[in-house]
Amino acid sequence: MRISILTIFPDFFSSCLNEGIIRRAVAGNLVAIEAVNIRDFATDRHSMTDDRPFGGGEGMVMKPEPLAAAIRAAREKNPAAPVILMSPQGQGLDHGKALELSREPGLILVCGRYEGVDQRIIDRYIDMELSIGDYVLSGGEPAALVVVDAVVRLIPGALGCGESASSDTFSRNLLKHPQYTRPREFEGEAVPDVLLSGDHEAIGTWRFVAAVRRTLERRPDLLAGARFSREERRILAAEGLLAAVDAAVAEHGRGRDD
Ligand code: ADE
């Protein structure tokens, strides 16, 4: 996968993309990531990328010409990639969307700035607007970074063998179970005995129940999209959780069938 990030702050990305899983995925040729400076495509004397809005009002709007030229250049290198504008007006990023994007041959992420982007760019060049949440950032750069991180870790092979995306929160609409490491006792609080037992089936059951309990407490809406096997339902019934799970599903509506 090739990810082109179009930005007026390319340095914003240099250290973040050079750490951890992203760095490893780049080194392993699973993904190539470039930050392209939109200013390099400005044609006027002052390399302007923004201008005042027609009709008046506060703030500045990103000019169409440099952005269009930057997108055209990115498309040449990354022809099958959807062009995605980071914007609080866009559809929300979630696990399903990240999974979808991880299967694309490439991504062109456009970081907006100021009060917005000239609408004609959106009409003519943008395939999708994507938001990372219902709040306004001062620019699309942190949002693009979130998309890159969420997507790259889902590319097959990006995670090491000790890591797994399939046990991540959201991969099955359950929050993750609590985790513990050494020491066995910390400030008087001991690690649950079952985790020290070496009994992998019992540990799996404990983790499943803890994940469901946590999801019920914090995000019962997610349970509408969760699916449980007959054995899991039996476990939930034995733990006294089945009625609460069924009530949460009834309240939040059943999600897609999978
Ligand atoms: N740009 C500004 N705010 C944003 C948001 N919430 N998501 C994506 N891009 C943005």
Side-chain angles (χ1 to χ4, degrees):
M1 170 184 275
R2 180 183 194 94
I3 302 180
S4 314
I5 305 170
L6 277 46
T7 171
I8 54 168
F9 297 125
D11 292 344
F12 179 92
F13 296 92
S14 41
S15 78
C16 318
L17 298 178
N18 251 316
E19 305 286 350
I21 286 167
I22 297 180
R23 180 200 181 97
R24 229 168 48 206
V26 170
N29 289 325
L30 295 174
V31 63
I33 308 176
E34 55 169 0
V36 177
N37 194 344
I38 297 166
R39 206 174 291 284
D40 292 346
F41 295 85
T43 48
D44 66 308
R45 264 189 320 133
H46 302 292
S47 297
M48 293 252 295
T49 54
D50 63 321
D51 208 338
R52 285 167 300 155
F54 279 128
E58 306 242 310
M60 301 290 266
V61 176
M62 288 187 85
K63 284 167 69 64
E65 305 97 317
L67 255 182
I71 293 171
R72 280 197 299 267
R75 269 197 197 141
E76 253 171 52
K77 286 200 239 169
N78 210 350
V83 182
I84 300 171
L85 175 66
M86 304 315 307
S87 157
Q89 271 80 243
Q91 72 176 99
L93 177 72
D94 61 9
H95 176 74
K97 193 75 207 168
L99 201 56
E100 220 177 89
L101 296 178
S102 74
R103 294 174 179 147
E104 294 283 357
L107 301 174
I108 298 174
L109 304 178
V110 180
C111 303
R113 272 271 139 186
Y114 313 118
E115 300 305 307
V117 168
D118 189 289
Q119 183 62 36
R120 291 162 295 181
I121 285 293
I122 299 173
D123 297 343
R124 306 170 79 84
Y125 286 87
I126 299 297
D127 298 311
M128 178 199 314
E129 291 181 67
L130 199 55
S131 166
I132 62 159
D134 290 342
Y135 39 80
V136 177
L137 304 166
S138 47
E141 283 79 8
L145 202 52
V146 167
V147 171
V148 170
D149 192 281
V151 166
V152 167
R153 65 198 310 288
L154 294 173
I155 298 174
L159 298 183
C161 45
E163 306 151 328
S164 157
S166 64
S167 73
D168 276 353
T169 291
F170 301 123
S171 67
R172 61 167 304 195
N173 283 286
L174 289 179
L175 300 183
K176 198 174 171 82
H177 55 76
Q179 293 276 45
Y180 299 88
T181 186
R182 284 184 287 192
R184 288 182 178 208
E185 196 177 308
F186 172 70
E187 296 189 352
E189 185 176 345
V191 171
D193 284 340
V194 62
L195 299 179
L196 309 174
S197 69
D199 179 342
H200 292 294
E201 196 179 322
I203 292 170
T205 300
W206 182 89
R207 286 180 166 164
F208 168 69
V209 170
V212 172
R213 194 164 272 138
R214 185 175 263 190
T215 311
L216 268 171
E217 282 166 13
R218 300 184 188 178
R219 291 291 307 277
D221 57 299
L222 287 177
L223 289 166
R227 294 288 173 276
F228 298 112
S229 67
R230 194 174 296 222
E231 171 62 8
E232 287 172 337
R233 288 182 67 80
R234 192 194 61 69
I235 293 168
L236 292 176
E239 293 289 328
L241 293 173
L242 190 57
V245 166
D246 285 343
V249 171
E251 186 179 345
H252 296 284
R254 202 165 260 301
R256 71 204 140 71
D257 269 323
D258 44 21

